[in-house]
Amino acid sequence: MTTHCDHKNLLLLAARPDKLRCRHCHLTLTADELGNSHCPECFEATGKRRYAFEPVAAPVDQAARYRCEDCGIFIETDG
């Protein structure tokens, strides 16, 4: 994809947060998305409120990600 933008108006995107994975259906959510609630996927599929989650850490060597506010392209640097 070719663009004529100079990408001078960049916005640094926040690092991906650690997530929680449901031990039953393996749905992954951030702690903010989950809150103090049960797994929404398990509840919708089975009607059971399951609270068993395991942490899934974000990659340590995450690359910095930027988005050009002028053209919308995403730019990722090496980690």
Side-chain angles (χ1 to χ4, degrees):
M1 178 173 138
T2 305
T3 179
H4 298 291
C5 183
D6 291 332
H7 310 307
K8 292 185 179 186
N9 189 13
L10 297 178
L11 174 68
L12 176 63
L13 301 175
R16 295 176 190 111
D18 291 344
K19 295 196 172 194
L20 300 170
R21 178 184 300 134
C22 175
R23 291 186 176 161
H24 297 277
C25 73
H26 307 290
L27 175 71
T28 56
L29 302 163
T30 64
D32 288 339
E33 292 171 329
L34 182 63
N36 291 327
S37 188
H38 54 276
C39 175
E41 187 73 19
C42 286
F43 185 70
E44 184 177 321
T46 66
K48 294 182 181 178
R49 297 177 193 265
R50 294 189 169 136
Y51 297 90
F53 291 89
E54 59 190 6
V56 178
V60 175
D61 61 344
Q62 268 188 35
R65 294 182 52 198
Y66 300 88
R67 182 181 70 230
C68 179
E69 292 291 285
D70 296 329
C71 71
I73 195 169
F74 289 92
I75 300 169
E76 190 168 310
T77 63
D78 292 333

